[in-house]
Amino acid sequence: MKSVKLAVSAIAIVAATGTTAFARDNIQVAGSSTVLPYASIVAEAFGENFDYPTPVVESGGSSSGLKRFCEGVGENTIDVANASRKIKDKEIATCAENGVTDIMEVRIGYDGIVFASQKDGPAFDAFDPSDIYNALGAKVMKDGQLVDNTYAKWNEFNAALPDADIIAFIPGTKHGTREVFEEKVLEAGCEATGAMEAYVASGMDEKAAAKECMKVRTDGKAVDIDGDYTETLARIGSNPNGIGVFGLAFYENNTDKLKVATMSGVTPSTETIASGDYPVSRPLFFYVKKAHIGQIPGLKEYAEFFVSDDMAGADGPLAQYGLVSDPELAQTQEAVAAETTMNSGM
Amino acid sequence: MSDATLHDAQPTKRSLHQIDARTKRRNAAESRFKMLGIGAIGIGIAFLIILLSTIVVNGASAFQQSFLEVPVYLDPAKLDKKGNRDPADLKKATTFTYAPLIEKGLLDAVQSAGIETPLSKTKDMKNLISSSAAAQLRDRVLADPSLIGQTVTAKILASSRVDGYLKGRVHRAEIAQDKNITVEQLDLADALIKAGILHKSFNLDFILGSDASDSRAEQAGIGVSMLGSFYMMLVVLVLALPIGVAASIYLEEFAPKNRFTDLIEVNISNLAAVPSIVFGILGLAVFIQFAHLPQSAPLVGGLVLTLMTLPTIIISTRAALKAVPPSIRDAALGIGASKMQATFHHVLPLAMPGILTGTIIGLAQALGETAPLLLIGMVGFIATNAPDGFWDGFVSPNSAMPAQIYEWAKRADPAFYERAWGGIIILLIFLLGMNIIAIILRRKFERRW
């Protein structure tokens, strides 16, 4: 009997702690796994330098982060969503429906997307978007005709490339990186090879043609990776001919295993991306719920600290890790200080 | 089959000492089967050895870490500009103020040790030092402002690249493209080892420390997520054990046997086979979105794992209760005990070892679970703050050991990979410990009839 009483009282205690109101004192962040390393570096330094607890940063992808961001206002929803793409109008509408109306958009810098292969593998040193399109596009131009892609080796369409089987590991469709890959590489390559024109000539409008351009061949030469870059790295490690798509920061941490290819003749680096010479890059953002500023202690300080010169500046730890710092950082700092929201004229 | 045909055979006169063909065949079949069995066990053991040795080989280095012993001059002109040693003003000097002081300290140490190196700027030292050093020194100064103006010897972490070099993970030939370390810096590291400034030693912070961000793998530890796991197990134990035992006692001893209880029984067995991620989704919907419990809290994680563990506990408890002979119940009832007295005074104590074993195995299962935690926000950069006080541990955001290992395994810096293996070693030790306790309990208290 005694043990039963004990158990009952234990349940009561747990239940009581469970139902008390939670005055949350830590910032909660979720979203893009590309932004996660940067956010964790900032969160750590924030916890060290301020009297607030270290913010909690979860990953899960831009879309799931924004979805949770838009669930509503209150202590049980996240304060900041990290995203490797801009918030979509549809998401803003969902947010508004749930009462999240004042959203601050903060651009933290740029991220480069690089093509890398095994260090000792074939000499994949230089690509153009057209090479990638010829290798991976669903349909390619051959003798002036748009035909199904049957290329098996890189040197079949570009003699400068090595005589190696085509096999590429590209980010899966749930990744924000995939969108950049499609827009900046496949679509550009599609236009350069003339496939785009052929699509339009066959009676499609531009939008439909662009959509066709982004289709990837489905005969197993282009492999979608739904996991993280570590998975891509493992696949490349076991496949000397493999080409992988990585974030610049990931490549820079694994230069002992990977060699990077230039794109349109430009070597990817923080400098070439900042100057805009390297074509495959994208801005990174985080979104702040303005309604939570003042409610969650330290939220505004966190946002300001994130974009401060100490963190996001050209010599800061984020740049050291691989973020391409934003030349217009000063404007972003002002906007954050003034709590400028998206609908108040940004 | 062979037994049946045996009797049909014609009896012939033969010595028993002479083995006939059929016996030979049967003996051969037996020895073949024995060989197969031994082979199966051998393969199992071989895989176990491969697995364990891989884990130990990859993970053992996580328990060692490279440290630098650096004398640092705490410059009052930089740290306390107003000169009043007011803690509020001292806090304004951020870690970005401390970092150059440490770099300067290391450079001075290099020069006073007479090491020849082309690196002569304070900035060149940056890649050798962990960025955690600044925060460590700042905390020390804030705790004792009188240190300002003195030269203190700080034992700081070396950067993950230098640490990797000492552990043989980073090689000179491979760092040409690496912007986080240069060959000159590795040469300097060699000289620093000779000078006694850089050395490798046991790293207690890996076991007790908190998670660190992607840029400082060398600082990351599993301690806080261990606490998270501990709190979850506490919740599971406090909830699942009484609920599970009460349910099984009722079902086994009191409930009438009818269609309805049969249905419940079948469903409990089914629940035991439900994939754990389903419980995660359930937890997200019920505990977080409906009941508004906080995200990333070990309390919620524990509740989800309770749901997962309950069927295991109920099934093993019922088996333990069934194993108590009916004569014990009959004897108790026969001398006038009520059904409840018979159960609680006689049956339950005898079934206890079985119940505890089942509970511990259920807990061990729950301890290694990651999937449901993904959905309730316990995977990510979370295990950073140790909870303040006992009760806070239930609700303050935390991770769990397997979730932390998963998180490390996917980070970019290869140094985290080693830590993931190290984390697996610690997790395995815990699981092994729990299983040993289960075995000891069973051996000690189990009674046979």
Side-chain angles (χ1 to χ4, degrees):
Chain A
M1 284 310 285
K2 219 176 185 179
S3 62
V4 176
K5 262 185 201 160
L6 203 73
V8 169
S9 55
I11 295 172
I13 290 168
V14 172
T17 48
T19 47
T20 43
F22 296 108
R24 177 152 68 81
D25 59 354
N26 64 299
I27 301 167
Q28 290 206 321
V29 185
S32 165
S33 45
T34 312
V35 186
L36 175 74
Y38 306 117
S40 70
I41 291 169
V42 174
E44 185 170 64
F46 181 76
E48 281 166 4
N49 284 312
F50 289 81
D51 283 337
Y52 305 107
T54 308
V56 169
V57 191
E58 293 170 47
S59 59
S62 305
S63 302
S64 87
L66 284 167
K67 195 176 156 209
R68 282 174 61 188
F69 184 77
C70 289
E71 265 168 11
V73 174
E75 285 189 352
N76 228 26
T77 57
I78 59 170
D79 312 308
V80 178
N82 295 328
S84 55
R85 56 168 172 79
K86 244 180 135 60
I87 190 168
K88 289 176 188 159
D89 290 342
K90 218 169 95 189
E91 287 162 336
I92 297 179
T94 318
C95 265
E97 257 172 50
N98 293 327
V100 186
T101 46
D102 289 335
I103 304 169
M104 289 162 62
E105 182 183 71
V106 185
R107 188 176 62 210
I108 58 169
Y110 295 85
D111 174 40
I113 289 166
V114 306
F115 291 80
S117 57
Q118 217 182 74
K119 192 149 194 158
D120 310 318
F124 294 114
D125 296 327
F127 286 126
D128 274 325
S130 57
D131 294 330
I132 303 289
Y133 183 76
N134 274 330
L136 303 178
K139 286 186 171 184
V140 292
M141 295 300 285
K142 240 182 193 172
D143 309 322
Q145 291 290 317
L146 196 61
V147 293
D148 281 339
N149 193 347
T150 54
Y151 289 129
K153 290 188 180 244
W154 291 90
N155 61 354
E156 284 173 28
F157 49 84
N158 184 347
L161 289 172
D163 175 18
D165 288 338
I166 294 172
I167 177 88
F169 303 99
I170 59 176
T173 42
K174 72 165 192 174
H175 286 276
T177 319
R178 175 65 170 255
E179 245 166 76
V180 190
F181 172 72
E182 286 175 347
E183 280 169 21
K184 302 253 165 114
V185 183
L186 285 183
E187 206 181 329
C190 188
E191 271 179 49
T193 55
M196 178 83 133
E197 247 172 76
Y199 275 127
V200 174
S202 71
M204 283 184 194
D205 61 30
E206 292 243 333
K207 228 178 165 180
K211 222 174 159 188
E212 284 301 314
C213 280
M214 290 178 190
K215 282 200 179 143
V216 170
R217 67 197 293 184
T218 50
D219 56 358
K221 299 235 185 307
V223 183
D224 276 20
I225 301 288
D226 279 325
D228 297 272
Y229 292 138
T230 31
E231 191 187 336
T232 315
L233 181 68
R235 299 288 282 268
I236 298 247
S238 59
N239 198 329
N241 290 330
I243 295 282
V245 176
F246 295 96
L248 178 69
F250 190 91
Y251 159 71
E252 290 195 329
N253 268 297
N254 289 283
T255 48
D256 53 334
K257 298 185 201 82
L258 294 171
K259 68 170 184 301
V260 76
T262 60
M263 181 58 69
S264 311
V266 184
T267 312
S269 69
T270 45
E271 293 80 23
T272 53
I273 291 164
S275 66
D277 291 335
Y278 186 76
V280 198
S281 69
R282 57 162 164 194
L284 300 176
F285 299 94
F286 68 89
Y287 293 90
V288 183
K289 237 176 247 179
K290 197 179 169 183
H292 283 195
I293 292 180
Q295 303 294 317
I296 304 294
L299 181 55
K300 190 180 176 189
E301 287 83 352
Y302 169 77
E304 284 184 313
F305 185 63
F306 205 131
V307 292
S308 67
D309 290 332
D310 280 339
M311 294 308 297
D315 296 324
L318 299 189
Q320 171 83 14
Y321 189 76
L323 181 76
V324 179
S325 75
D326 190 345
E328 292 165 5
L329 196 61
Q331 270 162 271
T332 312
Q333 288 165 356
E334 271 171 40
V336 173
E339 300 181 17
T340 315
T341 58
M342 290 179 77
N343 42 13
S344 66
M346 240 192 85
Chain B
M1 284 292 281
S2 53
D3 284 355
T5 49
L6 200 68
H7 301 289
D8 304 332
Q10 289 291 327
T12 45
K13 269 195 168 177
R14 208 174 39 217
S15 158
L16 274 174
H17 296 290
Q18 208 175 12
I19 299 169
D20 65 14
R22 190 185 283 131
T23 314
K24 256 186 195 159
R25 270 209 306 280
R26 289 194 300 159
N27 288 349
E30 189 178 322
S31 63
R32 269 203 304 278
F33 181 75
K34 271 189 190 161
M35 294 302 283
L36 271 177
I38 291 171
I41 290 172
I43 291 172
I45 289 177
F47 273 115
L48 187 69
I49 290 173
I50 292 172
L51 187 75
L52 285 180
S53 56
T54 319
I55 290 172
V56 171
V57 165
N58 282 312
S61 56
F63 295 90
Q64 294 261 314
Q65 202 66 39
S66 308
F67 291 93
L68 289 159
E69 305 256 7
V70 184
V72 180
Y73 174 58
L74 297 167
D75 190 351
K78 292 224 169 97
L79 300 182
D80 189 16
K81 284 182 180 143
K82 290 188 183 156
N84 55 9
R85 301 285 191 272
D86 179 2
D89 283 330
L90 289 180
K91 273 188 183 165
K92 283 184 189 148
T94 61
T95 49
F96 303 102
T97 322
Y98 283 84
L101 296 180
I102 299 171
E103 288 159 22
K104 175 93 176 33
L106 181 58
L107 185 66
D108 290 345
V110 166
Q111 283 165 351
S112 64
I115 297 169
E116 275 187 35
T117 167
L119 307 168
S120 58
K121 285 187 266 174
T122 48
K123 259 200 144 173
D124 295 333
M125 300 295 133
K126 194 175 171 187
N127 287 342
L128 295 167
I129 302 168
S130 163
S131 47
S132 67
Q136 186 192 329
L137 196 63
R138 181 172 180 265
D139 286 345
R140 203 166 141 191
V141 169
L142 290 182
D144 181 11
S146 67
L147 290 175
I148 294 178
Q150 297 179 20
T151 301
V152 298
T153 305
K155 187 183 180 192
I156 57 177
L157 288 165
S159 71
S160 69
R161 291 294 196 282
V162 171
D163 183 53
Y165 175 63
L166 262 65
K167 288 175 181 168
R169 190 178 61 235
V170 174
H171 303 284
R172 277 198 172 74
E174 289 169 351
I175 57 164
Q177 299 294 314
D178 200 329
K179 63 171 192 175
N180 289 319
I181 197 84
T182 63
V183 174
E184 288 81 32
Q185 282 164 337
L186 290 187
D187 291 339
L188 179 59
D190 280 336
L192 285 173
I193 295 171
K194 273 201 197 111
I197 296 171
L198 177 63
H199 60 89
K200 227 165 53 166
S201 65
F202 180 69
N203 183 21
L204 191 65
D205 276 344
F206 174 67
I207 301 167
L208 300 179
S210 61
D211 191 15
S213 75
D214 290 52
S215 66
R216 35 174 109 152
E218 62 278 0
Q219 196 199 358
I222 202 166
V224 175
S225 45
M226 214 189 276
L227 269 182
S229 281
F230 166 76
Y231 276 104
M232 290 201 306
M233 291 306 110
L234 209 61
V235 174
V236 174
L237 190 67
V238 164
L239 289 180
L241 184 61
I243 295 176
V245 171
S248 1
I249 290 177
Y250 178 75
L251 281 175
E252 199 58 44
E253 306 285 334
F254 296 93
K257 296 270 175 279
N258 56 26
R259 279 255 173 102
F260 184 63
T261 48
D262 282 351
L263 191 72
I264 291 179
E265 231 167 274
V266 170
N267 275 310
I268 289 174
S269 310
N270 279 341
L271 269 183
V274 167
S276 55
I277 191 94
V278 175
F279 290 109
I281 296 176
L282 185 77
L284 176 69
V286 174
F287 298 127
I288 293 178
Q289 287 169 352
F290 177 72
H292 293 292
L293 293 176
Q295 300 189 357
S296 315
L299 174 67
V300 179
L303 288 172
V304 169
L305 294 180
T306 301
L307 295 179
M308 214 194 78
T309 319
L310 264 179
T312 316
I313 293 185
I314 292 178
I315 289 169
S316 65
T317 305
R318 293 191 63 180
L321 289 173
K322 265 199 193 107
V324 177
S327 56
I328 289 181
R329 290 182 191 86
D330 294 343
L333 294 175
I335 55 167
S338 72
K339 204 162 184 183
M340 187 151 165
Q341 282 172 325
T343 305
F344 281 93
H345 293 175
H346 301 282
V347 180
L348 193 58
L350 289 172
M352 222 46 188
I355 296 173
L356 288 179
T357 314
T359 307
I360 291 173
I361 287 171
L363 279 180
Q365 224 176 40
L367 181 67
E369 199 58 64
T370 327
L373 306 182
L374 277 170
L375 291 159
I376 52 171
M378 294 185 78
V379 181
F381 178 64
I382 295 166
T384 48
N385 295 317
D388 340 317
F390 180 75
W391 294 108
D392 186 51
F394 286 106
V395 289
S396 74
N398 209 331
S399 194
M401 277 196 277
Q404 185 72 66
I405 292 166
Y406 166 72
E407 179 63 26
W408 281 342
K410 62 181 190 165
R411 288 192 187 165
D413 191 330
F416 277 113
Y417 195 64
E418 155 199 297
R419 300 191 113 68
W421 286 102
I424 290 171
I425 293 180
I426 294 181
L427 186 61
L428 278 184
I429 290 173
F430 269 87
L431 294 177
L432 203 67
M434 288 171 83
N435 283 332
I436 288 174
I437 292 173
I439 291 170
I440 291 174
L441 281 177
R442 201 162 52 215
R443 278 283 165 83
K444 201 155 179 182
F445 297 109
E446 192 168 57
R447 277 180 64 174
R448 292 185 183 280
W449 290 280

